[in-house]
Amino acid sequence: MPITEADIAKVAQLAHLELAEEELKTFGAQIAEIVAYVEQLNELDTTNVEPAIGGLTPEGERTETSRNDEIEGSLGQKVALAEAPDPSHGHFRVPKVL
Amino acid sequence: MSRQNVEFAVGAAERLNETLNAFLEIDREGAMQRAVEVEKGDGSGLANEGVLRGVPVAIKDNLCVRGMQASCGSRILGDYHPPYNATVIERLINAGAVIIGKTNCDEFAMGSSNENSAFGPVKNPWDTTRVPGGSSGGSAAAVAAGIVPVALGSDTGGSVRQPASLVGVLGMKPTYGRNSRYGLVAFASSLDQVGIFARDVSVMANTLGVIAGRDRHDATTADVPVPDYSAALDGDLKGARIGFPRALFGKGLDEEVGNAVKSVVDVYRELGAEIVEVDLPHAGYAIAVYYIIATAEASSNLARFDGVRYGFRAEDAPELRQMYRKTREEGFGPEVKRRIMLGTYVLSAGYYDAYYRKAQQVRTLIKNDFLSAFKVCDAIITPTAPTPAFVLGEKVDDPLAMYLNDIYTVTANLAGIPGLSVPCALSSERLPIGFQLLGPYWSEATLFQLAHAYQQARPFTERPPVYASQP
């Protein structure tokens, strides 16, 4: 199925990327080429094949990963905010939402 | 001793950085201070019997080291300083290692040439007009140039093994779940694994012994005992069976690389190993599967970079959504945006079954190919990369050609099995060539033993023109 410029613009919107005109064009062509390449998978009949889930080995799948629901130490407010671009009064400040 | 070793490494990193651009941060002060600390006493307070005591180590800039930056080669993180250590870093430090700096890489580990770093490409120490491979190019170059004996990288589709091959050092991606990913900035979580570069197998074996094992902070680490890898290095290869997938030595493979790897097969035969033909019928589909699964996972993982909690935020965006979009547009480089777009596309409504589900089904077939092959052999040999290092700029405008560099390496990530690249020859242009050993789950010790036997028989002693020497 051909990929239109409108498709690319829609994907950019879903991905929260404000692409420039030029990028929409280049990416459109490149993504179309890559998608055409990956469509070679359709040569394979996978009717009764279970999809792989993640990369776990059988030993990984058997590993017990739950733990007791106990409160542990965390970064704390000061450290958690230290790298924020716009912290304010103990919060992450963002531009207006509505 | 620690102090001299660390001083040498830091000095070499500083002197060679103008030529190689391998480091994004060099922590002279912190490293020297730590070197003095670990030198004190008898080392009895260190973990793993202090096996890495005073060993200078370089770390890819997508692993969190407290007190240092973690840019991931991206403008969107810039001089972000994580407030905690990755588990593998914590374990290195506890065993006495001294971290000297953070190494350059393709942005968010996406690339095969290191040209996608926002901070300029790393140069190959064998020929500075050529790429070092990627994405862990800085760590690879730092080890190849003799700056450090060991470095960490991450391998999602070959990002440790391919650069190792292109610069002539050892590079390993362990079994999925062998090493903790806690503190490794996520690219594609079902494929990512922390890997190791070294020039010497025993150093690599010691390092894996230190960092491997279950971590309660990463639910995908498996409860599998960590063997004494360095104890397993010796021993003859009588009875060892090495699989030779003839079909992978055909189209697209550089003739010199193919011949070099076939000579390695002859060496193994001479050493007493039995060579058995194996077939991996779905290997040709691996790149297609990989670029669906990896980009899908990346589009989701990289959603967190939104200019709110850390890193860069775009200016002049008075409304929230606009701020997200502008921040991501200005903060990410072209390859990262391309992969986020591709991943978003394959996951979007109506396409999920056609692409993502299909890819996961073919991933099962690839996994099954290996499980069958390992019924008749202990390891499989392939080239690591289809060609020696290419010239900077040669493939930047052709993403698909760039992706095909990973043709021999992505299968290990898709199947979750370990892979080790071993240097074996120089091309007519004096560029390194590597071969890859792939093994069943948890067979790292076997791969080390095979690599060690080869290196004893045919030591790779050549050094690149750019190499650290005493000042």
Side-chain angles (χ1 to χ4, degrees):
Chain A
M1 199 165 25
I3 299 173
T4 64
E5 221 168 279
D7 291 334
I8 295 294
K10 171 85 190 304
V11 172
Q13 196 188 6
L14 289 172
H16 277 166
L17 287 167
E18 191 182 273
L19 296 185
E21 273 303 307
E22 191 62 20
E23 282 179 310
L24 284 175
K25 279 210 176 67
T26 337
F27 286 167
Q30 289 169 337
I31 288 171
E33 193 195 356
I34 299 166
V35 167
Y37 176 81
V38 303
E39 277 173 356
Q40 62 174 288
L41 297 184
N42 295 332
E43 294 164 11
L44 295 169
D45 179 5
T46 51
T47 323
N48 293 314
V49 180
E50 275 295 305
I53 303 168
L56 288 185
T57 60
E59 293 78 6
E61 276 174 24
R62 282 199 296 270
T63 297
E64 176 59 55
T65 53
S66 60
R67 62 170 173 82
N68 294 334
D69 186 15
E70 284 160 3
I71 295 170
E72 294 179 11
S74 60
L75 292 178
Q77 195 184 51
K78 203 173 151 211
V79 176
L81 284 166
E83 293 282 331
D86 186 18
S88 173
H89 299 87
H91 297 277
F92 297 104
R93 185 160 59 185
V94 295
K96 71 174 167 79
V97 178
L98 290 171
Chain B
M1 242 349 245
S2 298
R3 263 183 297 177
Q4 283 97 311
N5 288 345
V6 173
E7 171 61 45
F8 173 78
V10 171
E14 288 168 345
R15 282 194 304 282
L16 296 182
N17 219 32
E18 205 174 311
T19 317
L20 297 176
N21 197 28
F23 285 84
L24 295 176
E25 181 180 12
I26 300 168
D27 181 18
R28 167 173 279 280
E29 203 183 321
M32 291 316 299
Q33 205 177 347
R34 180 69 185 146
V36 171
E37 273 168 35
V38 296
E39 208 170 55
K40 279 188 203 140
D42 59 0
S44 57
L46 299 170
N48 303 83
E49 291 157 359
V51 70
L52 297 178
R53 188 181 180 193
V55 174
V57 182
I59 306 292
K60 186 179 184 178
D61 208 27
N62 64 348
L63 277 159
C64 293
V65 180
R66 193 169 45 231
M68 294 175 133
Q69 67 166 49
S71 75
C72 296
S74 181
R75 198 168 117 71
I76 209 160
L77 277 169
D79 73 342
Y80 167 68
H81 282 65
Y84 69 104
N85 281 329
T87 299
V88 292
I89 299 300
E90 199 73 27
R91 290 180 180 172
L92 281 181
I93 293 172
N94 291 342
V98 177
I99 291 160
I100 67 153
K102 301 298 293 291
T103 55
N104 201 350
C105 56
D106 281 300
E107 185 174 6
F108 288 105
M110 297 179 188
S112 309
S113 69
N114 226 108
E115 293 166 292
N116 297 331
S117 167
F119 309 103
V122 175
K123 313 287 171 57
N124 191 318
W126 291 87
D127 175 350
T128 53
T129 68
R130 290 176 188 267
V131 305
S135 66
S136 315
S139 286
V143 173
I147 297 169
V148 283
V150 59
L152 295 191
S154 63
D155 189 314
T156 305
S159 280
V160 167
R161 291 160 288 153
Q162 184 259 13
S165 174
L166 268 47
V167 303
V169 300
L170 294 155
M172 166 170 267
K173 179 204 89 78
T175 308
Y176 187 80
R178 180 74 295 182
N179 289 333
S180 168
R181 293 178 296 111
Y182 179 71
L184 167 69
V185 178
F187 158 15
S189 307
S190 80
L191 304 162
D192 295 343
Q193 197 63 201
V194 173
I196 305 167
F197 294 94
R199 296 188 298 275
D200 187 288
V201 188
S202 62
V203 173
M204 180 176 268
N206 284 339
T207 308
L208 184 64
V210 166
I211 65 175
R214 171 91 185 124
D215 173 22
R216 52 191 293 277
H217 294 302
D218 176 1
T220 64
T221 53
D223 205 356
V224 172
V226 180
D228 182 352
Y229 292 115
S230 51
L233 294 183
D234 291 314
D236 74 70
L237 299 189
K238 283 250 154 37
R241 297 164 305 165
I242 297 180
F244 178 70
R246 187 175 298 279
L248 299 191
F249 285 76
K251 200 176 134 231
L253 177 63
D254 178 272
E255 203 185 326
E256 273 192 289
V257 175
N259 290 338
V261 181
K262 283 178 196 155
S263 309
V264 174
V265 174
D266 294 335
V267 173
Y268 277 122
R269 199 178 281 122
E270 282 166 32
L271 290 171
E274 185 193 341
I275 310 300
V276 290
E277 299 252 351
V278 292
D279 192 19
L280 301 167
H282 301 95
Y285 297 98
I287 293 284
V289 172
Y290 177 79
Y291 279 92
I292 292 172
I293 294 174
T295 58
E297 293 185 16
S299 74
S300 167
N301 272 327
L302 271 61
R304 73 191 60 171
F305 300 103
D306 58 4
V308 174
R309 287 152 300 164
Y310 34 68
F312 166 79
R313 176 187 290 190
E315 285 169 13
D316 304 320
E319 188 265 330
L320 184 66
R321 270 171 179 275
Q322 205 186 350
M323 187 280 280
Y324 289 157
R325 288 184 183 149
K326 263 191 106 165
T327 296
R328 290 162 63 79
E329 165 64 9
E330 292 171 21
F332 290 134
E335 180 62 23
V336 173
K337 285 190 249 185
R338 186 156 44 234
R339 295 204 198 184
I340 291 175
M341 292 283 291
L342 187 59
T344 307
Y345 178 79
V346 300
L347 288 178
S348 59
Y351 296 120
Y352 179 87
D353 280 344
Y355 296 114
Y356 190 75
R357 192 181 143 84
K358 182 82 183 181
Q360 292 287 24
Q361 286 175 312
V362 182
R363 183 178 187 176
T364 298
L365 297 176
I366 291 171
K367 212 183 244 193
N368 291 346
D369 285 352
F370 280 108
L371 294 181
S372 315
F374 290 133
K375 283 181 186 151
V376 298
C377 66
D378 306 302
I380 293 172
I381 186 167
T382 73
T384 307
T387 65
F390 44 95
V391 174
L392 283 154
E394 196 179 308
K395 298 183 184 178
V396 277
D397 296 322
D398 189 350
L400 197 52
M402 189 71 96
Y403 296 171
L404 291 171
N405 273 298
D406 301 331
I407 192 135
Y408 295 109
T409 48
V410 293
T411 49
N413 303 80
L414 292 170
I417 59 172
L420 173 61
S421 179
V422 184
C424 61
L426 286 185
S427 72
S428 51
E429 293 183 283
R430 288 193 66 75
L431 298 168
I433 294 171
F435 69 93
Q436 177 179 235
L437 294 165
L438 298 169
Y441 300 135
W442 320 109
S443 68
E444 287 82 358
T446 309
L447 302 188
F448 288 145
Q449 195 206 345
L450 289 170
H452 185 66
Y454 178 80
Q455 290 201 322
Q456 296 292 102
R458 296 283 190 281
F460 182 83
T461 52
E462 302 273 357
R463 283 180 174 182
V466 181
Y467 196 82
S469 51
Q470 296 289 352

